[in-house]
Amino acid sequence: MLLGFNGFMWSQAVIVEVYPLSVLSLSGVLVCMMRWVYAPHQRRYLFLAFFFYGICFNNHQTLLVLAMGAGGGNYDGPTPAGRELFFWNVIIYIGGLIGKQMGYVSVLNDNGH
């Protein structure tokens, strides 16, 4: 409800830009992750969250930082899968930082901020 009735979110949702699909896929990630936290034995919600995150990241690369927050949010989850997700998330980030320093990952080099 907070995202849906936010003035800024609404102003970006009614124009033709990348943001409406980003917000829709981000909402899908959040809904699926919350559902998985409450029913951890149903892994299909975790896989759906991964799918929506892939759409999210392919649509707008600034949502890359969502992965760290989602992994950190599930660290204290009801099953060890949340901790395992967090562990591999950290390993991938460290690998990405090393790859960026070595020049193998050039996705974020154009971002001057």
Side-chain angles (χ1 to χ4, degrees):
M1 295 284 288
L2 184 64
L3 286 176
F5 293 110
N6 185 351
F8 177 74
M9 198 65 67
W10 187 256
S11 70
Q12 295 298 313
V14 295
I15 61 174
V16 179
E17 192 62 50
V18 298
Y19 303 115
L21 181 60
S22 295
V23 170
L24 180 66
S25 56
L26 175 64
S27 299
V29 169
L30 295 176
V31 166
C32 289
M33 291 299 276
M34 284 299 293
R35 180 68 173 114
W36 176 71
V37 166
Y38 288 111
H41 60 280
Q42 296 177 345
R43 293 222 173 186
R44 65 176 175 237
Y45 294 110
L46 183 62
F47 297 140
L48 272 172
F50 290 152
F51 175 73
F52 284 130
Y53 181 70
I55 292 172
C56 208
F57 176 65
N58 282 323
N59 188 40
H60 206 270
Q61 284 78 25
T62 57
L63 294 170
L64 178 67
V65 296
L66 172 70
M68 187 59 97
N74 286 323
Y75 177 74
D76 197 23
T79 64
R83 290 183 287 280
E84 185 176 324
L85 179 69
F86 181 74
F87 172 75
W88 286 110
N89 196 3
V90 169
I91 295 297
I92 289 171
Y93 267 96
I94 290 171
L97 288 174
I98 292 170
K100 184 177 183 315
Q101 290 297 323
M102 294 177 70
Y104 294 128
V105 180
S106 62
V107 173
L108 302 175
N109 285 345
D110 296 334
N111 191 358
H113 294 77

